[in-house]
């Protein structure tokens, strides 16, 4: 497509790993394993397209309620993914970042994550942001705590608090808001993801389960976005 509009920031709710596995009579962790391949495919394609930020909902604050064995499998998968893929991120000039209550992750996972963030910090291409132990409401609450502290310390008058000022107290303060939110597996929910930031994002929902969502599907979402007229409440 000639002058296609490429979103600066894409956010993805990666859903349907469990159902993908169930349909094949496999364990849920196999769905997650296959889902990690979709992560690799989407990161690579976003880097190629010139997308500047990609935020992936990898583990929500609610996901802790899953059986211990599934949580452990997801943490192991994340650790293995980071260990294995960091050299590829370096080759693709991808900078890794994370949002969420990261200190709740297992210590070994945090170590690998910080190492990968540190190593890729010199990269200047796509910023890949993993949302881990992340909840949108929790983020807003943490933001409120932070802004209340600045008020108590006398750095800001409450009358000066605007949406832009508040945004600077969120985990995402360094990134622009997502332009496009993709959700796989057909669910029409936000599931506590980036509640503040997606106010004006274009939504793209596909029936495909996340493990089946690959480069062509990302292209289809971008093409769909490219045809949308964004008015941000204006005319
Ligand atoms: C949703 O599927 C997916 C998750 C809870 C985790 C997402 C994790 C990955 C894609 C794998 C690894 C991630 C990285 C960054 C390497 P679900 O289990 O809720 O599926 P279901 O709704 O069909 O049960």
């Amino acid at each position: 497509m000639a002058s296609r509009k490429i979103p600066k920031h894409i956010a993805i709710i990666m859903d349907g790993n469990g159902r993908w596995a169930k349909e094949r009579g496999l364990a849920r962790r196999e769905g997650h394993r296959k889902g990690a391949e979709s992560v690799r495919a989407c990161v690579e394609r976003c880097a190629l397209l010139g997308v500047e930020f990609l935020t992936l909902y990898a583990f929500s604050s609610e996901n802790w309620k899953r059986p211990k064995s599934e949580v452990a499998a997801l943490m192991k998968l994340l650790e293995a993914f980071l260990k294995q893929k960091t050299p590829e991120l370096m080759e693709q000039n991808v900078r890794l970042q994370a949002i969420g209550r990261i200190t709740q992750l297992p210590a070994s996972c945090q170590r690998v994550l910080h190492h990968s963030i540190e190593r890729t910090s010199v990269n200047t291409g796509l910023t890949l942001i993993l949302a881990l132990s992340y909840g949108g409401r929790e983020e807003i609450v943490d933001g409120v705590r932070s802004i209340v502290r600045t008020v108590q310390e006398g750095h800001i008058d409450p009358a000066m608090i605007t949406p832009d000022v508040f945004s600077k107290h969120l985990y995402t303060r360094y990134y622009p808001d997502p332009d496009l939110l993709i959700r796989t597996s057909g669910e029409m929910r936000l599931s506590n993801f980036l509640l503040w930031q997606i106010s004006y994002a274009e939504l793209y929902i596909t029936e495909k389960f996340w493990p089946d969502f690959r480069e062509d599907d990302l292209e289809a979402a971008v093409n769909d976005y490219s045809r949308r007229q964004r008015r941000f409440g204006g005319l």
Side-chain angles (χ1 to χ4, degrees):
M1 212 185 285
S3 59
R4 196 165 50 147
K5 246 189 329 178
I6 302 292
K8 194 179 227 192
H9 186 171
I10 300 180
I12 309 184
I13 302 177
M14 310 182 287
D15 194 17
N17 294 351
R19 277 162 288 169
W20 182 93
K22 194 172 176 203
E23 268 188 356
R24 289 160 179 79
L26 299 170
R28 291 177 59 82
R29 65 173 179 280
E30 292 304 318
H32 297 316
R33 225 163 49 87
K34 200 77 181 168
E37 290 176 28
S38 299
V39 170
R40 186 206 48 76
C42 288
V43 169
E44 198 181 311
R45 186 52 59 102
C46 280
L48 211 71
L49 285 174
V51 171
E52 291 179 43
F53 300 88
L54 172 65
T55 303
L56 301 177
Y57 205 3
F59 194 87
S60 74
S61 39
E62 286 78 22
N63 286 154
W64 292 112
K65 291 186 223 142
R66 293 193 176 193
K68 263 191 176 152
S69 56
E70 185 172 344
V71 170
L74 275 166
M75 293 300 151
K76 249 177 85 177
L77 183 63
L78 175 71
E79 220 180 292
F81 179 90
L82 292 172
K83 277 187 186 154
Q84 207 188 348
K85 302 290 177 200
T86 301
E88 269 174 49
L89 299 181
M90 293 306 294
E91 271 166 37
Q92 295 163 353
N93 196 22
V94 175
R95 178 174 71 123
L96 182 75
Q97 300 264 280
I99 54 170
R101 292 183 173 167
I102 304 301
T103 53
Q104 292 175 340
L105 301 177
S108 63
C109 213
Q110 288 186 50
R111 264 197 304 278
V112 176
L113 181 66
H114 288 307
H115 177 258
S116 188
I117 290 175
E118 180 74 28
R119 212 177 139 199
T120 61
S121 63
V122 293
N123 293 340
T124 53
L126 172 72
T127 298
L128 168 63
I129 305 151
L130 296 182
L132 295 163
S133 195
Y134 174 87
R137 287 182 170 181
E138 286 77 358
E139 178 182 25
I140 292 169
V141 167
D142 285 349
V144 169
R145 285 182 183 148
S146 160
I147 208 157
V148 165
R149 266 195 307 273
T150 59
V151 168
Q152 285 172 337
E153 287 162 4
H155 299 308
I156 187 173
D157 184 293
M160 305 292 280
I161 301 172
T162 61
D164 279 346
V165 169
F166 184 63
S167 294
K168 297 286 169 251
H169 291 264
L170 295 171
Y171 308 151
T172 51
R173 58 186 162 276
Y174 307 114
Y175 324 121
D177 288 343
D179 304 292
L180 172 64
L181 173 74
I182 299 173
R183 179 165 191 152
T184 57
S185 94
E187 308 289 352
M188 306 281 183
R189 284 191 294 276
L190 297 178
S191 300
N192 205 14
F193 189 44
L194 300 176
L195 297 178
W196 173 276
Q197 297 86 343
I198 56 171
S199 292
Y200 290 101
E202 295 293 324
L203 308 184
Y204 180 87
I205 299 182
T206 167
E207 293 294 323
K208 279 210 177 171
F209 293 142
W210 176 249
D212 289 327
F213 190 92
R214 295 298 164 99
E215 292 89 339
D216 289 352
D217 303 293
L218 189 92
E219 288 281 349
V222 168
N223 287 341
D224 193 273
Y225 168 84
S226 187
R227 288 190 292 269
R228 310 249 185 119
Q229 288 258 344
R230 303 182 76 198
R231 291 191 295 272
F232 300 95
L235 291 178

